[in-house]
Amino acid sequence: MSPRDTLTFAADAARGTPVRTALMVLAMAIGVAAVVVLTALGEGARRYVMGEFSALGSNLVVVLPGRTNTGGIGAGSLVTSTPRDLTVEDAQALLRAPLVSRVAPLAVGNSEIAYGGQLRDTLVLGTTADFAPIRRYRVAEGRFLPAEDPRHGAPVVVIGDTIRRDLFGTRSALGQLVRIGDRRFRVIGTLPASSSGLGVNADEAVIVPVALAQSLFNSNTLFRILVEVRHREAIPQGRSQVLQILQQRHDGEEDVTLISQDAVLGTFDRILTALTFGVAGIAAISLAVAGILVMNVMLVSVTQRTAEVGLLKALGAPDGTIRILFLSEAALLSLAGAAAGLILGYFGAWGLRAAYPALPAWPPSWAVLAGTFTALVTGLVFGVIPAGRAAQLNPVTALAKH
Amino acid sequence: MAQIELQGIDRRFILGDSIVSALRNISVAIEAGEYVAIMGPSGSGKSTLLNVLGLLDPPDAGTYRLDGRDVTTLGSNEQARIRRERIGFVFQSFHLVPRLSARENIALPMVLAGIPPKDRQARVGRALEDYGLADRADHRPDQLSGGQRQRVAIARATIMRPEVILADEPTGNLDRATGQDVTQILEALNAQGVTLLVVTHDQELGSRARRCLRMEDGAVVEDLRRGPSSSGLR
Ligand SMILES: Nc1ncnc2c1ncn2[C@@H]1O[C@H](COP(=O)(O)OP(=O)(O)OP(=O)(O)O)[C@@H](O)[C@H]1O
Ligand SMILES: [Mg+2]
């Protein structure tokens, strides 16, 4: 019997009992749809979290002065006790590393800002133009710090939203002269409300060129150096390049600490992926239930079609052919169920996205494949017993059934 | 060498703790092209004998040779192949597949044998013509009369051009006129050289065959041969 004839015969047989077939297809469809929707949910949650993290700059490496790492004692650390300061020159040197795309030195201190007789405490961030793209900062009005030699900055300032409201109210701050500490700065830009990132709220801060911040605080050290590597996968290599350059500049001593988000991110990624697999597994249980249903319905079908099986045997169908006929029927039902389930599942995922636009609830392709494959395997596995029973029927007694 | 040779065939059924001997030591030889009626009271083993001849039921003892070849010891796939290619069955209750049309029912043995659709179509078309079913080709069995159903069943039994046709009370569910119709179709097949074995309760039908095996209690008690003149046809 040719494969095509086998499928035609099996499809005809399935169509012969439309209600039963529809129920079985529905059961399978619900199982597959559950897999698709739940994995879409899990995967959506994972992508949402990852997206939020990368909004903070996921390919960011932060350099801190001093060695706080407990892992391993280098040869140098036995000799010195106090770490060297980080300098603007250190930051600039990091641009030599091939995997580093941007660098922003960061000096931080507290000061006060005055305008038109009003005085406020403020956090002063001294940095360079690249700080904005690295931290994904945008300006509300005006512009960010200009790109210039970080050792001599122009006296300009970008102010946070709260500072702007407190000092200027509804008037425009752009172009106005303010006093910070004992120096005068011209406001060239303002930040939008709640420009935050990594727990630092810039609403109450002002951003000035790093050289000016350092002279305000009368120091030439840096609080941090923010390093952006070219892409997330380059973080480990980028780290070692950064470390190597700083070590060279610090007389061979490894006296800095590097923090990157990839470790945290990796953990989240793993947890949420595991979660997705978990819900997929739970959904797969409904597929198994569907499989048991397929088995029972197929068993009923074999009983009802006993005379037909007897006839097929009398007409010369070998046991193997009978087995394949019933297995094909189970496979076709499963495939139909899987197809219907995919449609249902994609529709459900679409509904999720419509209801929660922030959630990128797209079913992952592995889940779609696995769901379909599991439906097919379930149908076949649970079809084995009914098909075997049909193949083992005694033709004489089968023909006597009516 | 006879086409069919049975030697000492026994068939027993175990029912609870009693043993029913459906066939006892049956030895018969049938030549190719013969027309044999099998008669006898109910429960005498006629159907069982036909099932053994059709390789649907294995005997408990004895040998069955088909064209000189012992077929009782063959594997089930080989036996299925013989049923497919050399034996045609006709049943009292027709045994058509209810969801398939007349055309599809007739084509079924060729489908099982893996004959390509193009060849099938031509042969089924001819069979539909031959059995006067051309205008019923796409009807399902429940849309056909008893006589038409049995004609579909006979067309199906002959579509593989078997050498032997085994018919178990083929007219048992038909009225007299349609029964005679069906008998004539079977006899016409026999006239073309097909060996025909018919189980029947109908004395008149039985007397049309050139040979009559009378069974009683699982044994052949009479083997009556008549001259060709008494045959209905030829
Ligand atoms: N599967 C079976 N199990 C048990 N006993 C059986 C079985 N098949 C047949 N028999 C018994 O074997 C004997 C012969 O049965 P068989 O069907 O061959 O009779 P028959 O001559 O065809 O009768 P009828 O004219 O009523 O069709 C009967 O006694 C029957 O009860
Ligand atoms: Mg009988």
Side-chain angles (χ1 to χ4, degrees), chain A residues 126-158:
Chain A
T127 184
T128 58
D130 275 346
F131 184 76
I134 290 178
R135 302 308 311 273
R136 318 264 151 109
Y137 273 15
R138 258 179 253 283
V139 288
E141 277 184 298
R143 46 185 300 247
F144 200 73
L145 299 179
E148 57 188 351
D149 185 342
R151 281 163 301 185
H152 326 279
V156 293
V157 63
V158 177

mmCIF file of all heavy atoms in Angstrom, chain A residues 126-158:
data_model
loop_
_atom_site.group_PDB
_atom_site.id
_atom_site.type_symbol
_atom_site.label_atom_id
_atom_site.label_comp_id
_atom_site.label_asym_id
_atom_site.label_seq_id
_atom_site.Cartn_x
_atom_site.Cartn_y
_atom_site.Cartn_z
ATOM 1 N N GLY A 126 31.046 65.293 37.186
ATOM 2 C CA GLY A 126 31.971 65.786 36.179
ATOM 3 C C GLY A 126 32.273 64.676 35.198
ATOM 4 O O GLY A 126 32.709 63.594 35.587
ATOM 5 N N THR A 127 32.005 64.949 33.920
ATOM 6 C CA THR A 127 32.225 63.872 32.955
ATOM 7 C C THR A 127 32.477 64.466 31.575
ATOM 8 O O THR A 127 32.817 65.655 31.450
ATOM 9 C CB THR A 127 31.042 62.887 32.952
ATOM 10 O OG1 THR A 127 31.321 61.817 32.090
ATOM 11 C CG2 THR A 127 29.736 63.564 32.540
ATOM 12 N N THR A 128 32.307 63.659 30.535
ATOM 13 C CA THR A 128 32.540 64.135 29.173
ATOM 14 C C THR A 128 31.311 63.878 28.317
ATOM 15 O O THR A 128 30.328 63.292 28.773
ATOM 16 C CB THR A 128 33.740 63.402 28.527
ATOM 17 O OG1 THR A 128 33.461 62.012 28.540
ATOM 18 C CG2 THR A 128 35.028 63.675 29.289
ATOM 19 N N ALA A 129 31.415 64.273 27.047
ATOM 20 C CA ALA A 129 30.273 64.170 26.139
ATOM 21 C C ALA A 129 29.765 62.735 26.012
ATOM 22 O O ALA A 129 28.558 62.496 25.889
ATOM 23 C CB ALA A 129 30.658 64.705 24.758
ATOM 24 N N ASP A 130 30.673 61.759 26.074
ATOM 25 C CA ASP A 130 30.275 60.366 25.857
ATOM 26 C C ASP A 130 29.439 59.787 26.987
ATOM 27 O O ASP A 130 28.877 58.699 26.861
ATOM 28 C CB ASP A 130 31.519 59.492 25.647
ATOM 29 C CG ASP A 130 31.963 59.526 24.192
ATOM 30 O OD1 ASP A 130 31.156 59.986 23.356
ATOM 31 O OD2 ASP A 130 33.099 59.097 23.915
ATOM 32 N N PHE A 131 29.357 60.504 28.101
ATOM 33 C CA PHE A 131 28.543 60.022 29.214
ATOM 34 C C PHE A 131 27.090 59.823 28.769
ATOM 35 O O PHE A 131 26.440 58.832 29.128
ATOM 36 C CB PHE A 131 28.617 61.043 30.359
ATOM 37 C CG PHE A 131 27.903 60.619 31.605
ATOM 38 C CD1 PHE A 131 28.459 59.674 32.453
ATOM 39 C CD2 PHE A 131 26.665 61.172 31.956
ATOM 40 C CE1 PHE A 131 27.811 59.289 33.611
ATOM 41 C CE2 PHE A 131 26.005 60.778 33.113
ATOM 42 C CZ PHE A 131 26.586 59.835 33.944
ATOM 43 N N ALA A 132 26.588 60.756 27.962
ATOM 44 C CA ALA A 132 25.188 60.678 27.546
ATOM 45 C C ALA A 132 24.878 59.401 26.757
ATOM 46 O O ALA A 132 23.970 58.655 27.136
ATOM 47 C CB ALA A 132 24.804 61.918 26.749
ATOM 48 N N PRO A 133 25.615 59.104 25.686
ATOM 49 C CA PRO A 133 25.293 57.854 24.979
ATOM 50 C C PRO A 133 25.547 56.604 25.824
ATOM 51 O O PRO A 133 24.802 55.630 25.716
ATOM 52 C CB PRO A 133 26.192 57.892 23.740
ATOM 53 C CG PRO A 133 27.228 58.916 24.018
ATOM 54 C CD PRO A 133 26.612 59.896 24.959
ATOM 55 N N ILE A 134 26.567 56.647 26.678
ATOM 56 C CA ILE A 134 26.855 55.449 27.480
ATOM 57 C C ILE A 134 25.700 55.172 28.438
ATOM 58 O O ILE A 134 25.236 54.053 28.573
ATOM 59 C CB ILE A 134 28.171 55.627 28.269
ATOM 60 C CG1 ILE A 134 29.363 55.608 27.313
ATOM 61 C CG2 ILE A 134 28.327 54.511 29.301
ATOM 62 C CD1 ILE A 134 30.697 55.827 28.002
ATOM 63 N N ARG A 135 25.199 56.219 29.116
ATOM 64 C CA ARG A 135 24.130 56.013 30.085
ATOM 65 C C ARG A 135 22.755 56.203 29.473
ATOM 66 O O ARG A 135 21.761 56.205 30.169
ATOM 67 C CB ARG A 135 24.291 56.968 31.271
ATOM 68 C CG ARG A 135 25.601 56.845 32.009
ATOM 69 C CD ARG A 135 25.897 55.421 32.428
ATOM 70 N NE ARG A 135 24.775 54.782 33.096
ATOM 71 C CZ ARG A 135 24.559 54.868 34.395
ATOM 72 N NH1 ARG A 135 25.360 55.573 35.142
ATOM 73 N NH2 ARG A 135 23.546 54.245 34.929
ATOM 74 N N ARG A 136 22.719 56.328 28.148
ATOM 75 C CA ARG A 136 21.453 56.548 27.432
ATOM 76 C C ARG A 136 20.703 57.758 27.990
ATOM 77 O O ARG A 136 19.512 57.712 28.213
ATOM 78 C CB ARG A 136 20.536 55.314 27.516
ATOM 79 C CG ARG A 136 21.242 53.987 27.339
ATOM 80 C CD ARG A 136 21.155 53.483 25.920
ATOM 81 N NE ARG A 136 22.330 52.671 25.612
ATOM 82 C CZ ARG A 136 22.317 51.356 25.450
ATOM 83 N NH1 ARG A 136 21.191 50.712 25.515
ATOM 84 N NH2 ARG A 136 23.408 50.703 25.174
ATOM 85 N N TYR A 137 21.420 58.790 28.275
ATOM 86 C CA TYR A 137 20.776 60.018 28.723
ATOM 87 C C TYR A 137 20.367 60.822 27.509
ATOM 88 O O TYR A 137 21.045 60.838 26.501
ATOM 89 C CB TYR A 137 21.752 60.877 29.553
ATOM 90 C CG TYR A 137 21.788 60.554 31.021
ATOM 91 C CD1 TYR A 137 21.242 59.369 31.500
ATOM 92 C CD2 TYR A 137 22.371 61.431 31.938
ATOM 93 C CE1 TYR A 137 21.285 59.075 32.849
ATOM 94 C CE2 TYR A 137 22.427 61.138 33.278
ATOM 95 C CZ TYR A 137 21.878 59.946 33.737
ATOM 96 O OH TYR A 137 21.940 59.666 35.066
ATOM 97 N N ARG A 138 19.243 61.487 27.627
ATOM 98 C CA ARG A 138 18.792 62.410 26.592
ATOM 99 C C ARG A 138 18.598 63.767 27.248
ATOM 100 O O ARG A 138 18.359 63.839 28.446
ATOM 101 C CB ARG A 138 17.454 61.936 26.032
ATOM 102 C CG ARG A 138 17.572 61.237 24.708
ATOM 103 C CD ARG A 138 16.195 60.786 24.262
ATOM 104 N NE ARG A 138 16.071 59.341 24.401
ATOM 105 C CZ ARG A 138 16.623 58.493 23.548
ATOM 106 N NH1 ARG A 138 17.310 58.928 22.529
ATOM 107 N NH2 ARG A 138 16.482 57.201 23.708
ATOM 108 N N VAL A 139 18.712 64.830 26.453
ATOM 109 C CA VAL A 139 18.432 66.138 27.034
ATOM 110 C C VAL A 139 16.986 66.500 26.730
ATOM 111 O O VAL A 139 16.432 66.087 25.724
ATOM 112 C CB VAL A 139 19.374 67.237 26.486
ATOM 113 C CG1 VAL A 139 20.764 67.050 27.034
ATOM 114 C CG2 VAL A 139 19.362 67.245 24.969
ATOM 115 N N ALA A 140 16.371 67.275 27.653
ATOM 116 C CA ALA A 140 15.014 67.743 27.415
ATOM 117 C C ALA A 140 15.076 68.981 26.525
ATOM 118 O O ALA A 140 14.303 69.141 25.595
ATOM 119 C CB ALA A 140 14.325 68.075 28.737
ATOM 120 N N GLU A 141 16.028 69.833 26.837
ATOM 121 C CA GLU A 141 16.192 71.077 26.079
ATOM 122 C C GLU A 141 17.679 71.288 25.870
ATOM 123 O O GLU A 141 18.495 70.824 26.673
ATOM 124 C CB GLU A 141 15.666 72.264 26.889
ATOM 125 C CG GLU A 141 14.177 72.501 26.814
ATOM 126 C CD GLU A 141 13.828 73.762 27.591
ATOM 127 O OE1 GLU A 141 14.073 73.768 28.829
ATOM 128 O OE2 GLU A 141 13.361 74.713 26.982
ATOM 129 N N GLY A 142 18.024 72.049 24.843
ATOM 130 C CA GLY A 142 19.421 72.395 24.642
ATOM 131 C C GLY A 142 20.247 71.210 24.210
ATOM 132 O O GLY A 142 19.790 70.368 23.447
ATOM 133 N N ARG A 143 21.456 71.087 24.741
ATOM 134 C CA ARG A 143 22.335 70.000 24.336
ATOM 135 C C ARG A 143 23.146 69.523 25.522
ATOM 136 O O ARG A 143 23.171 70.151 26.582
ATOM 137 C CB ARG A 143 23.250 70.460 23.209
ATOM 138 C CG ARG A 143 23.888 71.846 23.457
ATOM 139 C CD ARG A 143 24.660 72.252 22.249
ATOM 140 N NE ARG A 143 25.688 71.271 22.019
ATOM 141 C CZ ARG A 143 26.995 71.516 22.147
ATOM 142 N NH1 ARG A 143 27.395 72.713 22.462
ATOM 143 N NH2 ARG A 143 27.885 70.568 21.952
ATOM 144 N N PHE A 144 23.794 68.359 25.324
ATOM 145 C CA PHE A 144 24.631 67.800 26.389
ATOM 146 C C PHE A 144 26.011 68.442 26.288
ATOM 147 O O PHE A 144 26.247 69.328 25.476
ATOM 148 C CB PHE A 144 24.702 66.277 26.218
ATOM 149 C CG PHE A 144 25.117 65.560 27.472
ATOM 150 C CD1 PHE A 144 24.240 65.443 28.549
ATOM 151 C CD2 PHE A 144 26.390 65.008 27.584
ATOM 152 C CE1 PHE A 144 24.629 64.794 29.700
ATOM 153 C CE2 PHE A 144 26.778 64.358 28.732
ATOM 154 C CZ PHE A 144 25.897 64.243 29.792
ATOM 155 N N LEU A 145 26.928 68.007 27.158
ATOM 156 C CA LEU A 145 28.280 68.573 27.152
ATOM 157 C C LEU A 145 28.893 68.442 25.765
ATOM 158 O O LEU A 145 28.715 67.425 25.103
ATOM 159 C CB LEU A 145 29.172 67.833 28.169
ATOM 160 C CG LEU A 145 28.736 67.891 29.636
ATOM 161 C CD1 LEU A 145 29.723 67.091 30.493
ATOM 162 C CD2 LEU A 145 28.674 69.326 30.112
ATOM 163 N N PRO A 146 29.639 69.439 25.298
ATOM 164 C CA PRO A 146 30.274 69.320 23.985
ATOM 165 C C PRO A 146 31.473 68.378 24.056
ATOM 166 O O PRO A 146 32.062 68.191 25.124
ATOM 167 C CB PRO A 146 30.720 70.758 23.699
ATOM 168 C CG PRO A 146 30.907 71.370 25.041
ATOM 169 C CD PRO A 146 29.905 70.719 25.952
ATOM 170 N N ALA A 147 31.796 67.780 22.906
ATOM 171 C CA ALA A 147 32.984 66.934 22.855
ATOM 172 C C ALA A 147 34.191 67.850 22.824
ATOM 173 O O ALA A 147 34.295 68.737 21.979
ATOM 174 C CB ALA A 147 32.940 66.074 21.599
ATOM 175 N N GLU A 148 35.103 67.661 23.755
ATOM 176 C CA GLU A 148 36.282 68.543 23.843
ATOM 177 C C GLU A 148 37.352 67.811 24.626
ATOM 178 O O GLU A 148 37.121 66.710 25.133
ATOM 179 C CB GLU A 148 35.903 69.846 24.551
ATOM 180 C CG GLU A 148 35.322 69.567 25.928
ATOM 181 C CD GLU A 148 34.738 70.797 26.612
ATOM 182 O OE1 GLU A 148 34.934 71.901 26.086
ATOM 183 O OE2 GLU A 148 34.114 70.626 27.665
ATOM 184 N N ASP A 149 38.498 68.443 24.745
ATOM 185 C CA ASP A 149 39.591 67.854 25.511
ATOM 186 C C ASP A 149 39.171 67.790 26.980
ATOM 187 O O ASP A 149 38.868 68.823 27.592
ATOM 188 C CB ASP A 149 40.845 68.735 25.362
ATOM 189 C CG ASP A 149 42.050 68.088 26.050
ATOM 190 O OD1 ASP A 149 41.834 67.189 26.892
ATOM 191 O OD2 ASP A 149 43.176 68.497 25.728
ATOM 192 N N PRO A 150 39.135 66.621 27.575
ATOM 193 C CA PRO A 150 38.623 66.499 28.940
ATOM 194 C C PRO A 150 39.500 67.209 29.968
ATOM 195 O O PRO A 150 39.077 67.379 31.110
ATOM 196 C CB PRO A 150 38.580 64.984 29.174
ATOM 197 C CG PRO A 150 39.501 64.406 28.168
ATOM 198 C CD PRO A 150 39.485 65.320 26.987
ATOM 199 N N ARG A 151 40.691 67.618 29.568
ATOM 200 C CA ARG A 151 41.543 68.269 30.565
ATOM 201 C C ARG A 151 41.229 69.754 30.716
ATOM 202 O O ARG A 151 41.557 70.354 31.713
ATOM 203 C CB ARG A 151 43.014 68.058 30.209
ATOM 204 C CG ARG A 151 43.497 66.674 30.622
ATOM 205 C CD ARG A 151 44.764 66.313 29.926
ATOM 206 N NE ARG A 151 44.588 66.339 28.472
ATOM 207 C CZ ARG A 151 45.515 65.961 27.608
ATOM 208 N NH1 ARG A 151 46.684 65.553 28.023
ATOM 209 N NH2 ARG A 151 45.271 65.992 26.326
ATOM 210 N N HIS A 152 40.618 70.344 29.692
ATOM 211 C CA HIS A 152 40.201 71.742 29.832
ATOM 212 C C HIS A 152 38.767 71.834 29.375
ATOM 213 O O HIS A 152 38.504 71.773 28.189
ATOM 214 C CB HIS A 152 41.031 72.685 28.951
ATOM 215 C CG HIS A 152 42.440 72.263 28.803
ATOM 216 N ND1 HIS A 152 43.401 72.526 29.764
ATOM 217 C CD2 HIS A 152 43.068 71.560 27.838
ATOM 218 C CE1 HIS A 152 44.547 72.027 29.371
ATOM 219 N NE2 HIS A 152 44.381 71.426 28.209
ATOM 220 N N GLY A 153 37.840 71.967 30.277
ATOM 221 C CA GLY A 153 36.447 72.054 29.874
ATOM 222 C C GLY A 153 35.971 73.492 29.850
ATOM 223 O O GLY A 153 36.471 74.350 30.583
ATOM 224 N N ALA A 154 34.976 73.755 28.958
ATOM 225 C CA ALA A 154 34.328 75.062 28.962
ATOM 226 C C ALA A 154 33.379 75.116 30.149
ATOM 227 O O ALA A 154 32.844 74.092 30.560
ATOM 228 C CB ALA A 154 33.567 75.253 27.659
ATOM 229 N N PRO A 155 33.145 76.275 30.711
ATOM 230 C CA PRO A 155 32.277 76.384 31.885
ATOM 231 C C PRO A 155 30.793 76.291 31.516
ATOM 232 O O PRO A 155 30.088 77.295 31.497
ATOM 233 C CB PRO A 155 32.644 77.754 32.474
ATOM 234 C CG PRO A 155 33.108 78.538 31.294
ATOM 235 C CD PRO A 155 33.736 77.584 30.339
ATOM 236 N N VAL A 156 30.361 75.114 31.170
ATOM 237 C CA VAL A 156 28.956 74.900 30.811
ATOM 238 C C VAL A 156 28.381 73.818 31.708
ATOM 239 O O VAL A 156 29.115 72.991 32.245
ATOM 240 C CB VAL A 156 28.802 74.497 29.324
ATOM 241 C CG1 VAL A 156 29.185 75.653 28.414
ATOM 242 C CG2 VAL A 156 29.631 73.250 29.011
ATOM 243 N N VAL A 157 27.057 73.818 31.857
ATOM 244 C CA VAL A 157 26.427 72.847 32.746
ATOM 245 C C VAL A 157 25.107 72.357 32.151
ATOM 246 O O VAL A 157 24.412 73.105 31.469
ATOM 247 C CB VAL A 157 26.214 73.457 34.155
ATOM 248 C CG1 VAL A 157 25.263 74.653 34.100
ATOM 249 C CG2 VAL A 157 25.678 72.408 35.132
ATOM 250 N N VAL A 158 24.818 71.080 32.402
ATOM 251 C CA VAL A 158 23.519 70.497 32.062
ATOM 252 C C VAL A 158 22.849 70.191 33.390
ATOM 253 O O VAL A 158 23.443 69.536 34.250
ATOM 254 C CB VAL A 158 23.690 69.207 31.236
ATOM 255 C CG1 VAL A 158 22.347 68.561 30.957
ATOM 256 C CG2 VAL A 158 24.423 69.510 29.931
#
